[in-house]
Amino acid sequence: MKDLFDKIYRDKGPLGKWASQAEGYFVFPKLEGEISNRMKFQGKDVITWSINDYLGLANHPEVRKVDAQAGADYGSAYPMGARMMSGHTDLHEKLQNELAAFVNKEAAYLLNFGYQGMVSTIDALVAKDDIIVYDVDAHACIIDGVRLHMGKRFTYKHNDIDSLEKNLERATKMAEQTGGGILVISEGVFGMRGEQGRLKEIVKLKEKFNFRFFVDDAHGFGTLGETGAGAGEEQGVQDGIDVYFATFAKSLASTGAFIAADKEIIDYLKYNLRSQMFAKSLQMQLVVGALKRLDMLKTMPELKNKLWENTNALQSGLKARGFDIGTTQSCVTPVYLEGSIPEAMALVRDLRENYGIFCSIVVYPVIPKGLILLRLIPTATHTLEDVTETLDAFDAIRERLVNGTYKRLSAAVTAAMDK
């Protein structure tokens, strides 16, 4: 019989095998200083394009004041226990009611963490006779939730309505045999490519197929729509979304998440979400902080306006200089380049050390081999000066990628990996 750990000793995984070259710099980096457009990385000042603080609330003085006061009033433990037992308060209910009203749903329910809450919500919504149909590029939390499902599930090609329709036909035939229902899952904004999910077209398919629609709008909440209520509002189909999910970890710059739906659906979920029934309640400091952040989202449209001023300047500037930013329809700004993983490492090191630009790097297996994705997240705290400086740096690193500089610099890394 094998030792359970044999596979760990033998194969570190597609990302883990790079740990000795990457850890502490390319992965698990340590940004220091107050969360803002400019921070420190290994003692150097850098423009930060990898923090999802869309509205600039993470370090806003009003937010910090409320957070500090809530900490003084309640500490970091209250309330103790799960919501169903001893962790329920009037302020939890107040936040839920305000969130529901903001996203135009009857009711909402707080979740301790977005990832955990998504997994648990999918698990609670479906039984073994039901069928799940979801976008192949769905976030890992959706995939992990689907993995818990004891019944059938199908993926459709990314944002491909014809593919979705074919899979709905398959799912319908199967549901007629099992006596179950169908759950379709999409993201409001796909966080890697920046594309909006085709929510309007998916809702339109309800005229032909009988299914319920679940949307993960982590990147759309606070950034899209006239009021900031997300991708459903942006596309005019919020009413067609049966279960709406968003996290506090991005636009609200905090911890936690929520789901919103008809009251009867929320009443069912709050009694069946295992991740909330058997876990400590969201602490009061975070609840009070989220109430303040939500109020600022509703009453300070200038935050979203500034976010989009910076987003438009960055994206239009990249396109004008001939960079491929894909088909983003959100603030998420991907820049696609061609190159190997060692070249990507050399390129990013050059960006950080010589140009003071810190952005996230994405390589295989997240994207196809031979591609490098530099992912930039504009925020309301960035300036047009930040944008211009970044565009100039990108011009320089592209030239060095094309002329082979990074290939030469990465030769040692490649040799080490070939051993």
Side-chain angles (χ1 to χ4, degrees), residues 213-251:
F213 190 24
F214 184 17
V215 173
D216 173 354
D217 203 24
H219 288 273
F221 179 75
T223 69
L224 294 176
E226 183 178 353
T227 70
E233 180 182 54
E234 176 83 6
Q235 298 183 34
V237 292
Q238 188 75 348
D239 289 347
I241 297 172
D242 297 293
V243 182
Y244 178 89
F245 165 95
T247 176
F248 299 161
K250 296 175 173 60
S251 286

Side-chain angles (χ1 to χ4, degrees), residues 92-155:
H92 284 74
E93 287 188 350
K94 176 179 171 62
L95 178 55
Q96 287 172 172
N97 292 337
E98 292 193 11
L99 286 165
F102 184 66
V103 299
N104 195 33
K105 295 296 180 187
E106 285 185 356
Y109 195 64
L110 294 179
L111 307 169
N112 293 348
F113 294 98
Y115 199 112
Q116 172 204 53
M118 172 59 70
V119 170
S120 194
T121 300
I122 294 173
D123 179 52
L125 285 172
V126 292
K128 64 180 179 61
D129 293 332
D130 299 323
I131 294 91
I132 299 175
V133 184
Y134 64 105
D135 192 294
V136 71
D137 278 2
H139 189 271
C141 66
I142 295 173
I143 293 171
D144 284 354
V146 171
R147 283 175 174 172
L148 291 178
H149 180 43
M150 301 293 288
K152 293 289 185 180
R153 65 262 196 171
F154 303 117
T155 58

